[in-house]
Every structure is written in structure tokens, then in C-alpha cells.
Amino acid sequence: MRTIGKNRGLARLADADGHFRMVALDQRPPLFDAIAKAKGITRDQVEYSDVTAAKRLLVENLAPHCSSMLFDPNFAVPAAIDLLPPRCGLIMTLEEHRVDETSGGRKSRAITDWSVEKIRAMGGDAVKVLAWYRPDADAAVNEHQKRFVREIGQDCARHDIPYVLELLVYPFLGSANHTADYVESPEKLPGLVIESVREFAKPEYGVDLLKLESPLAANNLPARDGGAEAKAAQTEFDAIGDICRARSIPWVLLSGGAAPEKFERVLDFAYAAGAGGFLAGRTIWLDAVLKNFPDRAAVSASLRKDGLGVLERLNELTKAKGTPWKARFPVFTDIKREGDFARAY
């Protein structure tokens, strides 16, 4: 009987047709870096007020044009919760952007003093968690990540709120291409992405919506033209679609900062495999910040022109090719008299 909240929450994330057209602005280090480059300073010189000012501009200009937005509690909420339109769904991130990096892999943790309970209490429509994961990481690290994801899933079930899980493969500490930030590797192994999805699509984790990276690097994707390369690429996306379909879990694509035309190509493959939308951030708004901050008027003008241009193309592609999500509410065959529902729930 505790699925009503999850269904209504997912409905808040999607548009009226069931497509997930979502904008992410919970980014912390990527936005810190963009502001630092724009101002010609180092990351540690970026001020809190700069971050909140940038996030307020993003919400002000983009929120009316998407079905939901992804906020973080420490910057986005105090910056712009007053600007979020009533019909725009609110996804709240739970994970700390600082991870415990070990030689065997990354360990995630929640933001200090933040919880599923607080997200539900503040009126959030969904909880989002990013879990860095590699099937080939140290066994103890992977057990930590699985427990982290599982326990949050239990909290989301307890509070009847949708659980959005983001999975990202990462380079090991000490590897030639190591970075603490998410930069898509051109040598990405599709199997690492697919096996990660296979693990966390299991019912024990309680995931309601998967936010996934492309199994193949966006820059290396061929045109979806029916050729041999395109067919080979499609099989990788289809593998993800098959897993999610078998578990009845809707899935969306993250942009990872890919160039807009490259991300549109990713979506074309993903939609053919059954994806239901996108949860994209930097692809839509990064250039506006990089090229114009701290000139707020110039940032807004760029967002209204170029940022919205990207977002609207993504919206149209999603409406045309994305797989719509439909709520599945419980059937109340056991409710026979007044009080039965209240007692059972």
C-alpha cells in the first residue's frame, strides 16, 4: 500500500504526457570550476554568493521550460526555491560531492545533516543519489556502495518518495586518466556501465528511476543511420533497455557535459532502446556561465537564447521518440468499507 507517494512523485517529475524532461543544477564542483574560469580565479577562491547567484539565474531562466529540476540543499535551495514554478517537479540530491577515494575505488556518503526524511519534509518530489560504481572495484568498496544505495532505498520506501539513482563509472586512483570530477572517458567500457545497471536494477535497492550515462562515449557514437557501426552501438543501449524493461524501471540519460549535438545523438540511440527522457545540466547551461559570469544580465541573455535553444531541441526529441511513463497505482480490491484504506496504509 506504500506506492501511492512514489507514483505521484514520479508523475511530478514528468510532463503531462509522461516524458521526463529534467534539468540538473545540483552540480557543485563543475559549477565551481566554471565560475572560477569565468572570473579568472582558482576553485577555492569561488565565493558562496557567486554559486548561489549562478544557480538563481539557471532556475529563473530554465525552470519554466522543463518538467522538473534537480536541486542540491546547500546552494540551489537557498538560492532559488522561491523561483521554482508550482508545476515544476523538485528532485533533491542526497549525496555529498566529496567522496572517499581509495586505491580500490570510491566510497559515497550523504551530505552532512541531510536525509530522505528532510527531503520529504521540505516537499521534495524525489530523492536523487549519485553512486560512483565499477563492477571491477575492490570488493569491500563495492559492498560499501551497495549498502549505501540499499539503505537509502529503504528510507525512500519508508517515506514513500521516488528514488532516482545515478550511476557513474570512474577512473581508478593512480590511473593515467584519473580525475575526481566526471569527465567521460573515450575508452569507456560498455560492459562496466551495463553490469552496473544490472546490479542496481535488482529489487533489493528499491530504485524507481535510473539516471544513466551512455554506455559508449558520446564523442565516439556514430550516426544512427542503420550502418554496421550504428547497429553495434545500438546493441549496447538495447542491453540497458532490456534490463530496465525486465524490472519495470524507467530510465533517463545524463548529459555529462557533452556537446548538444553529441547528446542528441546519445538520446536517439537511448530512445530507440526505451529510455523515457533526460536529466541534463552542463550541456544546457555551462556555456552561459563560462562565457558571461559574473555579468548576470549577459548570463540570462545567453540562457534565454542558446541554453533554451538546446533545451527545446531536447524537449522536442523527447516528445517525438521517448518512451512515456505511466503511473501504476494499486488496485483497491480489499477496500470494502470506510476506514479500510486508512487502516491499511
Side-chain angles (χ1 to χ4, degrees):
M1 291 292 289
R2 300 214 38 102
T3 62
I4 296 175
K6 284 178 174 283
N7 273 283
R8 288 188 57 81
L10 284 174
R12 290 274 300 156
L13 304 191
D15 62 22
D17 296 320
H19 292 116
F20 297 102
R21 302 183 291 103
M22 308 181 287
V23 173
L25 48 92
D26 69 323
Q27 290 86 347
R28 285 146 283 174
L31 184 56
F32 302 160
D33 287 340
I35 292 171
K37 290 178 182 177
K39 297 184 71 174
I41 58 179
T42 61
R43 180 193 285 191
D44 59 4
Q45 291 176 312
V46 173
E47 298 181 0
Y48 180 82
S49 59
D50 282 336
V51 181
T52 54
K55 295 209 174 198
R56 187 169 181 84
L57 291 170
L58 299 180
V59 176
E60 183 176 37
N61 289 283
L62 299 176
H65 307 277
C66 58
S67 63
S68 51
M69 290 196 119
L70 172 57
F71 276 36
D72 69 279
N74 289 331
F75 296 96
V77 171
I81 193 64
D82 60 307
L83 295 178
L84 195 68
R87 179 57 190 88
C88 189
L90 174 62
I91 315 165
M92 289 300 308
T93 198
L94 181 61
E95 87 284 344
E96 171 61 65
H97 65 275
R98 304 170 185 89
V99 298
D100 296 329
E101 186 109 48
T102 74
S103 59
R106 294 179 183 174
K107 295 181 179 180
S108 301
R109 64 182 188 272
I111 294 171
T112 301
D113 297 323
W114 196 234
S115 65
V116 172
E117 182 178 13
K118 288 187 176 183
I119 291 173
R120 173 56 94 185
M122 70 168 284
D125 296 302
V127 174
K128 171 259 174 184
V129 167
L130 161 58
W132 298 96
Y133 189 79
R134 291 184 63 128
D136 57 348
D138 182 81
V141 169
N142 279 349
E143 182 51 42
H144 175 280
Q145 294 300 85
K146 291 175 184 179
R147 183 170 60 253
F148 174 71
V149 172
R150 187 186 303 112
E151 290 177 353
I152 294 169
Q154 292 167 352
D155 283 346
C156 287
R158 187 176 303 114
H159 293 283
D160 204 13
I161 187 170
Y163 187 10
V164 181
L165 179 64
E166 175 180 5
L167 295 171
L168 286 177
V169 175
Y170 59 92
F172 285 124
L173 187 66
S175 63
N177 60 343
H178 177 265
T179 173
D181 298 326
Y182 177 63
V183 179
E184 189 173 54
S185 170
E187 294 86 26
K188 184 193 303 184
L189 297 175
L192 294 178
V193 177
I194 294 166
E195 290 309 310
S196 297
V197 175
R198 194 183 310 281
E199 174 63 35
F200 291 100
K202 293 176 181 177
E204 66 189 82
Y205 297 104
V207 175
D208 300 295
L209 176 66
L210 280 164
K211 176 189 178 186
L212 303 175
E213 61 180 321
S214 170
L216 295 165
N219 287 337
N220 295 344
L221 269 181
R224 193 168 172 271
D225 57 7
E229 287 188 41
K231 289 179 180 178
Q234 188 65 59
T235 62
E236 310 292 3
F237 286 87
D238 289 346
I240 293 174
D242 290 344
I243 294 167
C244 294
R245 192 176 302 108
R247 298 293 189 184
S248 297
I249 299 176
W251 56 294
V252 299
L253 271 292
L254 61 90
S255 62
E261 64 275 10
K262 298 293 186 182
F263 184 51
E264 289 175 34
R265 183 170 290 185
V266 169
L267 287 178
D268 203 18
F269 279 94
Y271 289 158
F278 60 86
L279 181 41
R282 288 173 291 166
T283 293
I284 298 167
W285 51 254
L286 184 62
D287 278 355
V289 176
L290 269 176
K291 295 177 180 178
N292 300 288
F293 198 84
D295 185 336
R296 300 185 187 188
V299 173
S300 289
S302 179
L303 287 170
R304 287 194 299 269
K305 180 184 177 184
D306 301 320
L308 281 183
V310 173
L311 180 56
E312 288 304 331
R313 288 198 301 275
L314 298 180
N315 284 340
E316 291 306 313
L317 180 61
T318 302
K319 292 174 183 177
K321 297 186 177 182
T323 298
W325 171 84
K326 294 182 179 180
R328 290 191 296 271
F329 288 101
V331 178
F332 300 109
T333 55
D334 295 331
I335 305 302
K336 304 296 184 182
R337 60 182 65 84
E338 181 181 353
D340 281 356
F341 175 79
R343 182 166 49 254
Y345 199 82

